[in-house]
Amino acid sequence: MKSAAGTICRSWFTWTSIAVCLLILSGAAASGVPAQVPGNQTAELDLASFDHVWKTIRDKHWDPSLGGLDWNAVYAELRPRAAQATSSSEARRVIREMLARLGLSHFAIIPAAVYGEMGIDGGDSAPGGGGTTGLDLRVIGDEVVVTSVDPDSPGAAAGVRPGWRIDRIQDRDLKPMLVQVRSLYASSTQQQLQLRQAIQSRLSGPPGAKLRVTFTDGAGRIRDLDLFLAKPRGHLARFGNVAPFHVWFESRRLDQRFGYLAFNAFMDPENLMREFEDAVRECFTCDGILLDLRGNPGGIGGMGLGMAGWFIDTPGRSLGTMITRQVPLNFAVNPRARTFDGPLAILVDGCSASTAEVLAGGLRDLGRAKVFGSRTAGAALPSVFEKLPNGDGFQYAIANYVSADGKPLEGAGVQPDVEVPLTRAGLLAGRDPVIEAALEWMKTLTIPR
């Protein structure tokens, strides 16, 4: 089993500040889960898992009082039931009941089989690690649909196009996994995020490895393609003990008048912040900027604050506050000497999480941006995944976040000002209706400079 630190650092970058990340990493080794319980019996493993979950909440929750909940009484009430459980399913129900007493999102037990399918626990199948096909995707209805293909990627070389449906990976039907993940996150705003993660884990592996992927193209033809995994595009970023992660940034002009900026994660500050600054400076004369955070799972919160400083010209403004067990962190914006004062559109979807949500929601709350797309993941809290002694996954948050207008993002997400649904037909036609809606809005506000 990997150490707790290894598991935490592959938790989709759902921490939202450097301070919080360092807090997690500094305590990881001490809170590691043993590889096995003496005797290695199922009942013992299940009971050890119950104890680990209870102790983790006691020691790491941001509010030591748990909002007045008597955590010792919860233990005294439920542990005998966990000890008497006759199956892992029954023990799992007891642990979930214990977590339900908190009344919070971002606390979950993921059955071992599903946890393995989701690829959360690191290794070559972890997001951003190892090789990639260069395909991004979303689940639209009951279909897994390609939404973009990286240039010069294995997917591009094989002729894969946006809008193609992915049916099978390595001759494995995707539908059973979709049912499992949807059931697990049935009432969660994170469903789209976790579905994408689970499928991308199957599309990853060591560079050079071959994946057989079955597609249905735009004409309804079945395409069985062998994709040889390659290194992801972008800079290889390293941060503390976090698994190395490739970060890319792109900028271009739309209709010659509007700037378009996009990147895949709030990581690699040395390169990404410089590239972001250069792009904004080059666009000071643009009639508007579109900041595309769709599919961006977040990362280092301080980077979001630095980016916000290019669009806020008033000192003392804040994107919100994160409350940790040690100290509250005010997400204060430090304006740049010169800022972009034109219209700002931020594009989001159900796979925009963490720092992406903080930045989008914060700038919108401050009246500085209009948000387009679909509701974000509602995963603003720094979230940790661990593997329990019985093999189940355990997700828990170690801080709370309140946005600039005093509302929590957790479990709610950022609701766009203009909701634009994603459709397979639109992708097959080469259209991006979210960008089109943002441009239409901007054109009503601006006079060419």
Side-chain angles (χ1 to χ4, degrees):
M1 175 182 292
K2 296 177 177 64
S3 68
T7 304
I8 290 167
C9 293
R10 292 177 172 90
S11 50
W12 266 72
F13 305 110
T14 47
W15 55 83
T16 53
S17 74
I18 295 176
V20 171
C21 186
L22 293 176
L23 170 67
I24 295 172
L25 294 172
S26 65
S31 62
V33 180
Q36 62 180 8
V37 174
N40 200 27
Q41 299 299 311
T42 299
E44 292 176 336
L45 293 169
D46 289 336
L47 191 58
S49 298
F50 176 95
D51 289 342
H52 180 79
V53 170
W54 182 84
K55 290 176 182 177
T56 299
I57 302 302
R58 180 196 65 185
D59 297 340
K60 296 188 177 182
H61 194 277
W62 61 86
D63 177 9
S65 71
L66 299 180
L69 178 64
D70 189 337
W71 200 233
N72 289 322
V74 171
Y75 181 86
E77 174 192 350
L78 296 181
R79 193 179 192 277
R81 286 175 49 191
Q84 295 167 6
T86 59
S87 68
S88 292
S89 295
E90 186 178 344
R92 190 178 299 124
R93 283 195 295 271
V94 177
I95 299 175
R96 284 174 171 165
E97 181 178 341
M98 177 170 63
L99 293 176
R101 302 290 179 90
L102 296 170
L104 297 167
S105 61
H106 256 60
F107 291 84
I109 299 297
I110 306 169
V114 181
Y115 188 63
E117 288 280 1
M118 292 170 65
I120 296 171
D121 198 36
D124 289 328
S125 63
T132 178
T133 60
L135 305 179
D136 200 3
L137 56 92
R138 297 294 186 275
V139 176
I140 303 176
D142 294 324
E143 298 181 313
V144 179
V145 179
V146 176
T147 54
S148 66
V149 183
D150 288 343
D152 303 318
S153 68
V160 181
R161 306 283 296 175
W164 283 23
R165 188 179 70 215
I166 303 176
D167 299 318
R168 302 175 68 85
I169 300 173
Q170 296 290 70
D171 294 326
R172 297 176 63 187
D173 190 353
L174 297 180
K175 290 182 180 178
M177 180 178 63
L178 298 182
V179 170
Q180 285 182 321
V181 177
R182 273 192 162 139
S183 175
L184 183 63
Y185 288 89
S187 58
S188 172
T189 53
Q190 295 183 47
Q191 187 180 103
Q192 186 65 234
L193 180 71
Q194 299 299 344
L195 285 167
R196 179 196 187 208
Q197 151 74 356
I199 299 161
Q200 285 288 15
S201 71
R202 289 192 178 182
L203 288 172
S204 301
K210 181 177 73 173
L211 288 183
R212 169 58 64 94
V213 184
T214 302
F215 300 90
T216 298
D217 67 16
R221 293 185 295 262
I222 304 300
R223 304 276 193 114
D224 287 314
L225 301 178
D226 289 328
L227 304 181
F228 290 86
L229 302 182
K231 290 183 179 180
R233 64 169 168 151
H235 301 287
L236 182 62
R238 301 178 187 275
F239 176 70
N241 292 327
V242 176
F245 187 86
H246 283 83
V247 179
W248 56 260
F249 174 84
E250 66 174 87
S251 65
R252 62 180 187 269
R253 293 291 179 98
L254 303 176
D255 292 350
Q256 304 301 316
R257 299 167 47 193
F258 305 97
Y260 173 87
L261 284 61
F263 52 96
N264 64 323
F266 289 80
M267 295 290 288
D268 189 23
E270 180 179 359
N271 289 300
L272 181 57
M273 295 304 289
R274 172 180 49 79
E275 291 170 325
F276 190 90
E277 174 180 351
D278 290 345
V280 174
R281 286 185 180 278
E282 291 174 3
C283 217
F284 275 149
T285 58
C286 288
D287 293 326
I289 289 180
L290 289 77
L291 177 57
D292 194 344
L293 299 180
R294 291 175 293 179
N296 190 314
I300 301 172
M303 294 177 66
L305 298 180
M307 292 175 181
W310 289 104
F311 305 105
I312 298 291
D313 60 5
T314 305
R317 310 302 294 273
S318 172
L319 299 183
T321 303
M322 177 161 287
I323 303 168
T324 72
R325 197 177 184 99
Q326 281 71 28
V327 63
L329 303 171
N330 181 26
F331 280 31
V333 178
N334 184 24
R336 305 288 175 152
R338 181 183 177 187
T339 61
F340 176 78
D341 59 2
L344 174 64
I346 301 182
L347 318 183
V348 298
D349 66 5
C351 295
S352 306
S354 184
T355 307
E357 296 181 277
V358 172
L359 181 59
L363 289 176
R364 194 262 301 278
D365 291 347
L366 294 175
R368 187 58 192 88
K370 193 164 186 173
V371 179
F372 295 78
S374 54
R375 183 173 65 173
T376 63
L381 302 189
S383 175
V384 175
F385 285 87
E386 290 184 348
K387 181 181 284 186
L388 295 174
N390 65 0
D392 284 354
F394 172 36
Q395 181 187 13
Y396 63 94
I398 51 84
N400 196 17
Y401 172 81
V402 178
S403 66
D405 65 354
K407 297 177 182 178
L409 288 179
E410 190 64 24
V414 177
Q415 186 66 37
D417 299 296
V418 179
E419 190 158 4
V420 186
L422 185 67
T423 66
R424 187 182 177 213
L427 291 167
L428 288 170
R431 295 181 54 241
D432 190 328
V434 183
I435 290 180
E436 291 171 1
L439 286 176
E440 182 180 356
W441 167 69
M442 286 187 173
K443 291 175 180 178
T444 66
L445 298 177
T446 60
I447 299 175
R449 300 188 186 191

